Amino acid sequence: KDIEKLPFTTKDDLREGYPFGMFAVKLEEIVEFHTSSGTTGKPIVTGYTRGDIELWSEVMARALTMAGAGPQSIIQNAYGYGLFTGGLGTHYGARKIGAALVPISAGNTARQLQVMQDFGTTLLACTPSYSLYLAETAEEQAGGLRRLKLKSGCFGAEMWTERMRDEIERRLHLKALNIYGLTEVIGPGVAQECLRQSGLHIAEDHFFPEIISPETLRTCPEGESGELVLTTLTREGTPILRFRTKDITSLHREDCKCGRNSIKMARITGRSDDMLKV
């Protein structure tokens, strides 16, 4: 409860520390950098120690396992590799669970579909909008979708709706699952939807979630919608206290039919700032 006495951290705080001012360890302990896009000013830089890479691998392994993946899976990672966290985060998680990984990165749709068909991809990781584009392109090929072996997909990095989920599942014949994360905290793997599709399980042993009112900044009771605030509990390189994500959601603690009992967050329904994703 006393965490409410601590001040918030915002994107502006992180930008002011550019590039390495927010690091909590010596630079020689950092083994990897990632950044935000920097579209609204200087990018936000996060540093990862070896321990942070192991942490990231662990939470992403959990996320992929929630999506039904395991050593028998073939995971096609169509998130972009580089300073963006999506590609390498998924890569680390897939490697930890021992799945066969296709590190194809983003773009080149014709090749994506050929690999998907020839390799027998079972899990697709990409943005939800790109999954629909893949479906649209595959439908233009004779028998293209019939040759796919997809079972599930981890879709994130942008807001999407239940209507989009229905369309993705109908067109790609898979379970479309929501994954959540952000560069400032770790990248993808903060929360993931299981196959029950009843909310995203937060890795609360590593990330402490709160919901606040964007207007009063006071903590909201469980189940009430507001702005998600996250504190890292185990991050070494760039730990962060009470980071205001600006994402609007709610928290629910209930035992899930999948057997997990970690706190769950609802689908993101909007932003408390003026950000638009087109």
Side-chain angles (χ1 to χ4, degrees):
K1 185 68 176 174
D2 279 351
I3 198 169
E4 295 176 15
K5 299 176 182 178
L6 296 174
F8 296 106
T9 308
T10 66
K11 281 182 181 286
D12 288 339
D13 296 323
L14 302 182
R15 288 194 188 99
E16 287 172 13
Y18 178 88
F20 306 144
M22 296 298 286
F23 289 6
V25 298
K26 295 178 181 178
L27 198 56
E28 53 262 37
E29 295 181 53
I30 299 294
V31 299
E32 191 166 306
F33 297 110
H34 285 279
T35 74
S36 66
S37 61
T39 52
T40 55
K42 286 183 178 178
I44 289 162
V45 181
T46 55
Y48 295 69
T49 64
R50 291 185 186 278
D52 290 333
I53 296 297
E54 179 56 34
L55 156 64
W56 199 11
S57 302
E58 167 65 23
V59 296
M60 275 305 300
R62 295 181 193 180
L64 293 170
T65 302
M66 280 187 235
Q72 77 289 350
S73 301
I74 299 175
I75 297 175
Q76 186 155 330
N77 184 9
Y79 284 115
Y81 279 68
L83 290 173
F84 169 64
T85 54
L88 278 168
T90 304
H91 186 105
Y92 293 145
R95 192 165 61 183
K96 190 169 182 68
I97 64 174
L101 178 69
V102 185
I104 197 166
S105 195
N108 200 339
T109 302
R111 188 174 179 225
Q112 294 269 6
L113 289 169
Q114 182 180 351
V115 166
M116 207 177 291
Q117 292 165 4
D118 296 347
F119 291 17
T121 299
T122 57
L123 187 148
L124 173 63
C126 65
T127 62
S129 56
Y130 189 58
S131 74
L132 283 175
Y133 185 65
L134 284 167
E136 183 181 317
T137 306
E139 287 163 357
E140 295 170 357
Q141 303 174 358
L145 286 171
R146 287 196 296 272
R147 295 198 297 273
L148 299 182
K149 296 182 180 179
L150 292 171
K151 295 179 180 178
S152 60
C154 288
F155 304 123
E158 63 188 25
M159 276 181 58
W160 54 305
T161 62
E162 285 297 321
R163 186 174 174 184
M164 277 184 75
R165 189 210 297 272
D166 293 342
E167 188 175 356
I168 292 168
E169 292 188 337
R170 177 177 57 81
R171 296 173 75 172
L172 283 176
H173 312 294
L174 51 67
K175 277 266 191 181
L177 304 171
N178 211 333
I179 186 168
Y180 178 77
L182 55 168
T183 303
E184 296 86 355
V185 173
I186 192 74
V190 173
Q192 166 71 41
E193 207 169 26
C194 69
L195 293 169
R196 297 287 180 172
Q197 297 174 313
S198 60
L200 291 83
H201 294 272
I202 297 177
E204 61 177 322
D205 50 337
H206 296 292
F207 314 109
F208 181 77
E210 303 171 77
I211 297 292
I212 65 166
S213 164
E215 290 79 30
T216 66
L217 305 185
R218 297 194 176 209
T219 304
C220 298
E222 183 179 321
E224 191 171 306
S225 182
E227 181 184 330
L228 178 66
V229 172
L230 291 170
T231 296
T232 60
L233 302 177
T234 54
R235 187 79 189 269
E236 296 173 344
T238 323
I240 195 165
L241 291 170
R242 305 196 80 198
F243 179 69
R244 293 188 61 182
T245 68
K246 304 292 187 177
D247 290 323
I248 302 298
T249 183
S250 58
L251 298 177
H252 306 266
R253 187 172 292 283
E254 57 190 23
D255 288 348
C256 184
K257 290 181 179 178
C258 75
R260 297 174 181 87
N261 57 12
S262 55
I263 198 165
K264 289 195 284 190
M265 58 180 275
R267 175 187 289 281
I268 301 297
T269 56
R271 300 276 301 177
S272 64
D273 60 8
D274 57 357
M275 178 185 288
L276 295 176
K277 291 191 177 183
V278 181

